Each structure stands twice: as C-alpha cells, then as structure tokens.
Amino acid sequence: MMRIELVKRPQRSALFSMLSPFIAFALTLIAGAIMFAMLGVNPAKALYAYFISPLTEVWQLHELAIKAAPLIMIAVGLSVCFRANIWNIGAEGQFTMGAIAGSLLPVLYPDLQGAYLLPLMLLMGMIGGAAYASVPALLKARFNTNEILTSLMLVYVSQLFLDWVVRGPWRDPMGYNFPQTVQFSSAARLPELLDSGRANLGFIFSIVAAVLVWLMMSRMLKGFEVRVLGSSPRAGRFAGFSIRRMAFFAFMLSGALAGLAGISEVSGAIGRLQPVISPGYGFAAIIVAFLGRLNPLGIIAAGLVLGLTYLGGEAAQSSLGVSDKLARVFQGMLLFFVLGCDTLIHYRIRFVGRKAPAPETVPVQEGAH
Amino acid sequence: MNLHEGAANLLEVRGLTKIFGSLKACDSIDLGIARGEIHALLGENGAGKSTLVKMLFGSLEPHSGEILWNGQPVRITSPGIAKKLGIGMVFQHFSLFEALTAAENIALSLNDGAPIGTIAAKARALSYSYGLPLDPDALVGDLSVGERQRIEIIRCLLQTPNLIILDEPTSVLTPQEADKLFETLERLRSEGKSILYISHRLEEVKRMCDRATVLRHGKVVGHCNPREETASSLARMMVGSEVRAVERPPAEGMDQAESLLEIVNLNRKPATPFSIPLRNINLSVRAGEVVGIAGVAGNGQGEFFEAVSGEVLQQDKASVRIRGRQVGGLDITGRRLLGAAFVPEERLGHGAAPRMKLSENLLLSRHATDGRAFVGTAGMIDGKAIYSAAQRIIEVMDVRKSAPDPEAASLSGGNLQKFIVGRELDRKPSVMIVNQPTWGVDAGAAAHIRQALIELARNGSAVLVISQDLDELFEISDSIAVMHNGELSARIPIAGATYEKIGLLMGGAEPGHAAAVNAAETAEVA
C-alpha cells in the first residue's frame, strides 16, 4: 500500500505565492470545462456564457459592482480576523443582523425624510453587525468556546430571526400578506452612482473600506498587533498585546463591515427587508478573503471575480439552461484550488511505498553524492 | 558485524561535505575515532558540529565524502541503520514522553516487542552497574533533567553501541551530576567503547578527552591532545582569534544603593500538570549590580520569568516591585513603562516574531515605551524611525546579516540574540531581566553581550540574569542565587561563591531556606 505524506518545504517560493490565485483560477476554469462537457454542453461556449458575456454590456458591469460590493466589504473585515488567527465564519449572520438593525428606522418610522436618515441607518447597521459579532468573541473570551462553531451557528439564528421579523411584527400591512416590510422611502435608499445602471454607493463604501483597512494593516500599530498575534501569539504576549482584546476587536470590526454590507444591500439593491436578502455573501466572502491573499487590495480584485461567478450563474441558467447551483459549484472549486495551491506552496507531496526497508549498508562508490 | 582485527579506527570520516543552499555547513571533514577513546568535537555554534553528527547518525545525508566503519565504507541513510551498525546517540534535547514511565519510553525506542517487565529489569540492572541509578517505573514528568538524561543514556546503552555520541551532555547537569557522568564515561572507555563528545566547555574536555577535533566555519582547523593544551589555546582554535575576557569592575557603594527590583513572597500555582509551582520567592536587586540566578533547566526559571515580566499577572500586587512601585497587577507593557526591560529565553516566537523584519521586531517590545518616537498621530508607524533605530542597534551590537532589514528567522541564533539584547539595552532600562542571555551564542558574541550587561549595571541599572551556564554567572554576577524546584536560595556574594557550593544548591541541598535568610537580611537593613 502506498502512503502519501506532506513534507514541509524549507523555503516557500515567493513567485508561486503570488501566482497561486491565478493558478487556482485557471484550474477552476479547466475543471469547469470538464464539468460542462460532462453535462453535455460545449465547454468553450459555456465558459464564454459564464465568464465573458456578463461583462459585455455596461448595465451588466453595474450588476457586477452590486454583487462585488458586499463581498469586498465583508471579506476585508474577515481578512483582519484571519490574519489574527481568529476564525469568524458567521459573517452571513452579522450581515443579516446589520440589515435588520439598519432597517429599524425606515420600517418603524417610514415618514422620516431628513438627510440624517441614511447615515443613521448605516451607522445602526454597523452597530448591529458588530454587536452580533461580539457574541462569539465574548463566548471565546469567557468560556474558551470555539469561535468557528458559535459564529456559524449564530448565522442560522439570525436568518430565522429575519424570517420571523418580516412575517410577523414588521410585515407590510398593505403588502397583500407577502412576507416583506414596507418599501423604503427614497430618503432611505442608497443613491445610485451613474445613470447608466443600478450600481450604488455601496461599491464606493467597499473600496474605501478596503483602502482604510489596508492602511491599518500595513502602516498602523493596530495592524502590527493583528499580524504579530496572528503569526506568533507568544511574541504578541511578550509585546504586551492581548489575544482576548484582539478577539473582540477583530470580531467587532468584521461584524461592523458585514453589518454595513447588509444595510447597504437592503437600502440599495433590494429596497426593503424580505426573508432572503443574501445569496450567501457572508460565506462567499471567505473565499474572497483567501483568493485576495488576505490583502485588502487583493480582495477588491477577488471580490470582482467572485461577483462574476454569481452573474455567470444567472447568465448560464438563462442561456444554457443549467442549474443556478452552478455558481456555488464554481465558488467551491475556486476555494478548493486556492487552498490546494497554498498547501503545495508550503508543503511538497511525498509518496511512501511499503517497500522492504533499505539494505543496511550499501558500499559507497567513489565520489557518489 | 565483521571486526577487522587491527583496523586502526572504529570510525573514519574522509572528506565529508554537506551543503545547505550556498552554505557549506561541513567542508571536507576528516576525522578518525579509535576504539576505546573519548574524542571531543569542539567548535562554536554554527561551526558544523551538529551537521557532522547528524550525518554520522543518519539524519542527514552527505553530499560527498565517505564514512568508514571498522574499515568498511558504509552509507548511513537513517538512524535505524546507525543503530544497527552500533552507533548510539544521546541528544541535547531529550525525546521522552512525560506522561509515560522510563521503561515505557525505553521500550518505545527499542521497538523489539519485548515485554515491559523485561526491559525494566534490564534497564535497572544496567543503570546500577554503570552508577546511574534509575527507577524504570517512575513517570518521566516527575523526574529531574539529570534523571531524564540517564534514561536517554541507558536507552542508548541497551542497544550495546560501540560508538556513543553525546551532544552537550553536561549543559543540563549540576557540577556534581556531571562528575557522575564523567565516571560513567570513563568506565565505558575502559570497556573499549568509543565516545564522541560534543561540548564547548573546555575544562571538561581537557579533563576527560583523549583527543579533540576542532571545527570552525565547517572546516577542521586542527586535531590535538586537549591535555596538552590550555583552555585559552583551545578557545583560540575554536574562535580563530583572541576572545576578549569580560571585565567586571568592582561594584561600589552597593549597600546604600536603592533596590530597583524587589520580589517579595512570590508564589505561583503550576499552570499545567508538568510546570513548576513557584514557592515563596524573595529577591532584591539594587542599582549597579548584576544578580545571577543559577539552576538546572526546568526548575521554575521560565515560570519565574513570566511572573516577573508581567506576561502572567500576580494576585498579590506587592509580590513584584519595580522602582518601589507595586506592579503585580501591571502587565508587561505597564512594567516596561516603569523602566524595566526583558529578554526571554526563546528567541524565535517569543522574543522575536520569526517572519517579521528586524525593524518590526524592534517595535515588538518598544511600541509603548518609545511610542512618541516610533508611532505618529492616529497610530501610524514611523517606518523611517524604526528602520534607523534598528540599524543603530545592528551597528552597536555588531549583528551580522544578509540584507539591510532581514526577517528575524533568517539570522543565526547568536546574531538574533545580539539584536534582541541590543533592542533592550538601547532603551537604557533601569531594570533588566534576562533569561539565558548567551544560550547558543558563539564565544565572541557572548563576551560582547556579557560585557554590555555589566556596563548597564555599573551605569546604575539593576540587572538580573537567569542562566544555566555557571561559567557565565561567575563571570558577570556580583552575587548568585540558586533556583531549585520552584524555590530560590538566598543570594551568595560572588566572593564567597564556589562551583561546589552553587552545585550543591542546584542539586537541591538546603531547600527552602531562602525566606528565612532574606527576612534576616531585611531586618538588618531596617
């Protein structure tokens, strides 16, 4: 029987670390082509329909910005968590809670009109997301629970809470019993950027967030603290940094950004609360964070790529008649290949056969190595 | 095994070379070990001793050259093959499971399926016959470092090796334990076994070894009979130049000097089942003096350092005092802000973040104390300021490196240590606490660091040095206290300290008298 071992490489290649997301993307395309062929669709045509055709018209670029904005915003926050070695898997829940908290004013007081309304909504969205994210941080600090489990489980709590809110107390009384809130007033809607399409201010928020977090991580003491605690916690403790405080900081920062993404999505693209407000942005953002090498600027590019998989999924569904679950398949493959490439950068594979042990002593030839 | 009668050497190494990247760790090494001799392998850190030994024990494969065993060329491709040939090794860092008994640990490495009872009986018999008494049923976790080393030695002897390689065996022993070990080694020699003895302690090499091979920068610089050399001539061969002796000017007016660091009835419960509780530790260090803490590894020094540095806080706020302030409840940053500086034992991962640049590692311990110089408005790091400060330290401490601002992990241990010590000295701290200042550092750099610590003290700071290297403590300390099993002895002024006295305390004589003596001392002062 053969055994496969991973052996740590003494040196990781800087070149391949940089190339890894591109290699992963190329491998995803190849695997995608194979999958299309097996589905009986011409792979070249399918890949064109999936990845190119959604970029051929201006209004579609607007749609891409709409899809990419929440992905970038959430992933930027998650990158801080992951760099600190803190595993927030519950951004989807923080997104949902941010959307609910931010919708308080336009739903309960639909007559509010002032210029203060929108900033206040955004702020409340951020607070909602941060407060929800502080729960797993608190549980970790207090009871040493695993934040992966608690943050993930809180996603389902938030989704059921949203479902109850829009079917129960916040349901639009004039909405023919549809499970949704009232339409937000125009003062409560995120303004669109250009006349040529639907893209709104949310995209600008996501770029600003990425640049600010990049500045923090690369130039500021707080970013240094994140990097030290993430890469060598003992040295971080020696520096006087606290892992516990860092857990709160990272969770609340990423929660606030996810919450901002949530309220931006609701007050931008959707315009009201409804049972489903996200096609899994909070989970896809984990892929975005890693595809962008946990670097906020790389995450902007990665967010656009992942946004494209959503659009491509919709396009392929209508033009090729394949399932819209395809988008999830592509996202899954992308994550798989990114993690695979990263593993192979750090480790090499060794096959160990179950051969008889080598002879005890083999005479050395002259000058043999 | 074919024994060629009359073959001159048991082991013969010819032109053995090992290359790592562009570095020739071993450069055509020639070495012969005769039957029944104790052969010393001398060299500074990084001279290639470990690489050579690893090739002999099969953990590394040479690039070129040959190894002759009993006159026959052999290829040693794994430790298993080395053991079968009859080469045994006792490592510097033990590989024992703490939760298992001595006999179970031995059984694991013998791997021959014999019942534990048989192995235990054999181990017991062998250990008594060699004067290294061992209880095979004791849990390793309960044993002292010296006793753990015995397990390793017995485990090695059970495989009846003809060549035994010992890597720095006395670095973890008290002087008395070391004497015991020497007796055992002499006994093995008289039985015709060969021993390759790796050490940097010249006195013991002179005392025990029949021949010595000296390595420098991967090359053999000489073979000699250590008995005919002096310690300083051996050191010269190792280092390649004269090592400047450390000068310790007399400490004056110490009685009136202010106590900058005081530790009063410090207690700490063990954090893990295998860590050492601290019991009733009392110590004070005055401005201007260097106090050394001796002790065999694993007697609570690490726990003590964590408590004094503030990495772990104390319930009793008064148990640690820095410049008169009670700091038990202050974290490491708070204690630094009062003027204290710390150098931990582990460099990579504790004193420095391995994957970060030296300039960033400067920030690691000084972001708060030098906040104004290094961190600007809104928490922006001043890259230029930390870079130039790092370069200043690199220059003062003579840190050798390959790039202007390399990652910490790319420096050799000694050079990184110079940087870490220099990082704290650069602050001119009023209290400096160092754990193992020169562990694994070459002789030249060690002398540099020791001199710098003495100068810091003479300029009015209190310096506390925790070390397992007695030579070092005798070189730099004004008085020495001994830590054993979580307790600290009273300070012994250097004038009255002898290796024997300190050694007895390291072995556990007079435990628990520290409190009484210190109380008397304080009463005197008052």
Side-chain angles (χ1 to χ4, degrees):
Chain A
M1 216 184 73
M2 197 109 107
R3 205 150 44 90
I4 300 173
E5 279 183 355
L6 285 179
V7 184
K8 193 154 185 131
R9 293 179 196 269
Q11 209 94 46
R12 70 207 152 117
S13 156
L15 176 69
F16 278 97
S17 298
M18 214 176 65
L19 285 181
S20 136
F22 299 98
I23 298 172
F25 188 62
L27 289 169
T28 306
L29 290 185
I30 293 169
I34 295 170
M35 181 181 66
F36 280 125
M38 286 163 66
L39 286 170
V41 187
N42 178 345
K45 233 167 104 185
L47 286 179
Y48 178 85
Y50 200 102
F51 287 106
I52 310 288
S53 73
L55 298 175
T56 47
E57 286 186 55
V58 176
W59 68 268
Q60 288 174 313
L61 295 179
H62 280 270
E63 292 302 312
L64 180 61
I66 286 179
K67 294 278 190 254
L71 289 172
I72 295 170
M73 226 178 309
I74 299 168
V76 161
L78 290 183
S79 74
V80 175
C81 284
F82 297 162
R83 288 289 284 274
N85 227 343
I86 289 162
W87 301 96
N88 177 5
I89 308 297
E92 183 82 0
Q94 293 137 28
F95 176 96
T96 307
M97 280 309 192
I100 296 172
S103 303
L104 258 165
L105 292 179
V107 172
L108 298 181
Y109 306 99
D111 298 331
L112 289 178
Q113 288 294 331
Y116 58 86
L117 177 60
L118 196 57
L120 214 55
M121 285 166 59
L122 296 174
L123 187 68
M124 288 172 71
M126 291 172 77
I127 293 171
Y132 203 57
S134 70
V135 176
L138 182 74
L139 292 174
K140 185 182 170 67
R142 260 299 177 76
F143 305 110
N144 201 20
T145 53
N146 183 326
E147 74 273 21
I148 297 178
L149 294 177
T150 52
S151 64
L152 180 61
M153 290 192 292
L154 284 169
V155 170
Y156 308 115
V157 175
S158 72
Q159 287 172 338
L160 292 170
F161 182 66
L162 172 65
D163 198 73
W164 172 74
V165 160
V166 296
R167 288 175 202 277
W170 286 11
R171 189 175 54 191
D172 181 3
M174 324 287 270
Y176 306 103
N177 249 345
F178 278 113
Q180 58 190 26
T181 64
V182 291
Q183 182 85 31
F184 290 5
S185 67
S186 63
R189 299 293 302 269
L190 270 188
E192 288 173 2
L193 290 174
L194 300 166
D195 296 334
S196 54
R198 296 203 306 141
N200 57 46
L201 215 49
F203 189 67
I204 303 295
F205 291 162
S206 72
I207 303 296
V208 171
V211 172
L212 288 180
V213 170
W214 173 80
L215 207 64
M216 180 191 89
M217 290 300 290
S218 60
R219 297 287 146 85
M220 288 169 63
L221 191 60
K222 197 71 197 173
F224 176 72
E225 187 180 333
V226 171
R227 289 185 286 132
V228 172
L229 281 173
S231 63
S232 28
R234 190 121 192 260
R237 199 178 63 165
F238 179 67
F241 302 143
S242 151
I243 294 177
R244 220 178 254 210
R245 280 199 301 265
M246 176 51 63
F248 274 99
F249 172 80
F251 257 107
M252 290 179 73
L253 176 72
S254 64
L257 283 170
L260 179 63
I263 184 58
S264 299
E265 181 73 7
V266 169
S267 88
I270 304 176
R272 55 153 60 100
L273 274 184
Q274 56 194 36
V276 175
I277 53 173
S278 154
Y281 288 136
F283 295 115
I286 297 170
I287 306 173
V288 173
F290 280 105
L291 192 62
R293 325 286 323 141
L294 302 183
N295 175 334
L297 302 183
I299 283 171
I300 296 178
L304 291 167
V305 170
L306 256 279
L308 188 57
T309 63
Y310 280 114
L311 289 186
E314 289 169 13
Q317 187 185 16
S318 60
S319 67
L320 304 171
V322 294
S323 161
D324 67 337
K325 294 281 185 289
L326 217 53
R328 293 284 183 89
V329 175
F330 268 102
Q331 290 168 3
M333 286 197 296
L334 202 49
L335 179 63
F336 174 80
F337 285 121
V338 169
L339 296 181
C341 286
D342 284 358
T343 305
L344 291 180
I345 286 169
H346 290 284
Y347 299 89
R348 64 189 172 81
I349 294 178
R350 205 176 64 164
F351 296 97
V352 185
R354 206 184 55 172
K355 283 184 295 188
E360 282 178 23
T361 56
V362 181
V364 182
Q365 282 134 34
E366 280 305 310
H369 81 267
Chain B
M1 201 64 47
N2 268 343
L3 277 178
H4 289 252
E5 285 300 322
N9 281 334
L10 176 69
L11 181 88
E12 184 88 37
V13 168
R14 288 186 197 147
L16 210 60
T17 299
K18 178 75 190 176
I19 301 168
F20 295 113
S22 60
L23 176 80
K24 275 192 178 172
C26 282
D27 191 353
S28 36
I29 303 272
D30 295 324
L31 170 73
I33 299 174
R35 283 190 188 76
E37 77 164 350
I38 302 183
H39 193 113
L41 190 58
L42 280 173
E44 293 196 276
N45 284 286
K49 292 176 308 212
S50 307
T51 309
L52 174 60
V53 166
K54 279 182 187 160
M55 288 191 286
L56 296 181
F57 196 60
S59 354
L60 278 179
E61 210 169 336
H63 276 87
S64 63
E66 58 179 354
I67 301 171
L68 302 176
W69 179 256
N70 283 319
Q72 295 273 41
V74 288
R75 262 187 69 188
I76 306 171
T77 51
S78 77
I81 291 173
K83 280 182 196 164
K84 279 191 183 143
L85 284 175
I87 300 175
M89 177 142 183
V90 177
F91 289 94
Q92 189 180 3
H93 300 285
F94 307 148
S95 44
L96 297 170
F97 295 99
E98 296 196 331
L100 298 182
T101 66
E104 285 166 337
N105 268 290
I106 292 171
L108 274 173
S109 74
L110 289 182
N111 203 17
D112 61 359
I116 294 271
T118 320
I119 291 171
K122 264 190 186 166
R124 190 190 302 268
L126 196 67
S127 73
Y128 279 92
S129 79
Y130 278 101
L132 298 169
L134 178 74
D135 174 10
D137 303 320
L139 274 184
V140 171
D142 298 335
L143 298 179
S144 73
V145 185
E147 289 169 313
R148 293 182 197 199
Q149 188 182 51
R150 283 184 198 171
I151 302 176
E152 292 262 354
I153 293 173
I154 297 298
R155 174 157 88 176
C156 177
L157 290 179
L158 275 173
Q159 293 159 352
T160 56
N162 292 312
L163 172 66
I164 301 160
I165 303 172
L166 293 159
D167 191 1
E168 301 268 359
T170 55
S171 64
V172 294
L173 300 181
T174 66
Q176 287 82 0
E177 284 175 316
D179 285 341
K180 267 260 175 64
L181 176 70
F182 297 153
E183 281 169 27
T184 307
L185 296 184
E186 272 156 19
R187 161 103 193 269
L188 286 166
R189 168 168 61 189
S190 69
E191 289 172 4
K193 310 235 187 237
S194 306
I195 292 164
L196 182 61
Y197 189 87
I198 301 168
S199 183
H200 65 271
R201 295 193 172 170
L202 304 170
E203 287 302 334
E204 54 186 54
V205 167
K206 266 173 63 61
R207 171 175 158 195
M208 272 215 324
C209 298
D210 306 298
R211 278 199 300 158
T213 298
V214 185
L215 295 184
R216 188 163 75 225
H217 302 315
K219 284 189 181 141
V220 173
V221 290
H223 302 280
C224 63
N225 179 346
R227 296 200 176 93
E228 291 165 5
E229 302 284 331
T230 63
S232 68
S233 71
L234 285 173
R236 210 160 37 235
M237 278 174 88
M238 273 166 62
V239 180
S241 62
E242 214 60 63
V243 176
R244 201 161 48 96
V246 173
E247 287 173 34
R248 188 162 51 86
E252 283 164 12
M254 205 56 65
D255 316 338
Q256 286 87 41
E258 184 193 356
S259 264
L260 295 181
L261 174 70
E262 284 172 289
I263 291 146
V264 183
N265 291 332
L266 173 68
N267 287 287
R268 187 179 165 199
K269 290 199 182 76
T272 68
F274 295 118
S275 64
I276 305 285
L278 299 180
R279 281 178 285 214
N280 239 354
I281 291 183
N282 288 282
L283 181 72
S284 86
V285 187
R286 296 196 185 92
E289 67 176 351
V290 179
V291 173
I293 293 186
V296 176
N299 270 292
Q301 293 97 325
E303 288 82 355
F304 176 71
F305 179 84
E306 279 184 338
V308 177
S309 68
E311 286 181 286
V312 172
L313 303 184
Q314 287 77 52
Q315 296 266 304
D316 176 7
K317 291 189 177 19
S319 60
V320 179
R321 297 174 199 171
I322 291 173
R323 292 169 64 201
R325 282 273 306 273
Q326 302 186 352
V327 298
L330 276 183
D331 70 356
I332 189 165
T333 301
R335 296 184 196 191
R336 281 193 182 116
L337 287 171
L338 282 173
F342 312 96
V343 176
E345 177 179 1
E346 280 288 318
R347 281 157 218 155
L348 286 176
H350 192 175
R355 287 265 166 223
M356 290 195 164
K357 294 181 203 153
L358 288 186
S359 59
E360 290 177 300
N361 270 302
L362 170 68
L363 206 54
L364 193 72
S365 72
R366 294 180 55 181
H367 61 89
T369 52
D370 299 66
R372 226 172 270 164
F374 297 149
V375 185
T377 45
M380 298 292 277
I381 296 167
D382 187 341
K384 259 190 209 150
I386 55 169
Y387 180 83
S388 64
Q391 296 303 318
R392 182 175 72 222
I393 291 162
I394 286 167
E395 192 159 326
V396 171
M397 296 303 289
D398 186 27
V399 177
R400 317 240 171 105
K401 59 198 174 28
S402 52
D405 193 9
E407 283 183 359
S410 74
L411 261 62
S412 75
N415 279 306
L416 182 57
Q417 184 70 2
K418 282 195 268 185
F419 181 81
I420 292 176
V421 173
R423 171 177 80 186
E424 308 304 330
L425 290 175
D426 185 60
R427 266 180 63 204
K428 303 196 171 49
S430 55
V431 175
M432 176 100 165
I433 295 153
V434 192
N435 194 0
Q436 297 279 58
T438 62
W439 183 80
V441 175
D442 62 68
H448 192 142
I449 290 174
R450 289 171 191 160
Q451 192 68 58
L453 289 173
I454 293 172
E455 274 162 24
L456 179 72
R458 294 302 182 259
N459 285 326
S461 303
V463 178
L464 180 62
V465 176
I466 304 167
S467 179
Q468 287 149 41
D469 185 343
L470 271 188
D471 301 337
E472 167 168 273
L473 291 179
F474 273 91
E475 209 171 309
I476 64 175
S477 310
D478 298 307
S479 56
I480 298 179
V482 180
M483 185 162 271
H484 175 76
N485 202 15
E487 291 179 285
L488 192 69
S489 77
R491 296 168 37 155
I492 300 172
I494 198 73
T498 60
Y499 277 74
E500 202 199 342
K501 217 174 190 176
I502 302 291
L504 285 172
L505 286 169
M506 285 165 75
E510 307 177 61
H513 72 309
V517 178
N518 263 23
E521 229 173 61
T522 352
E524 234 169 77
V525 171

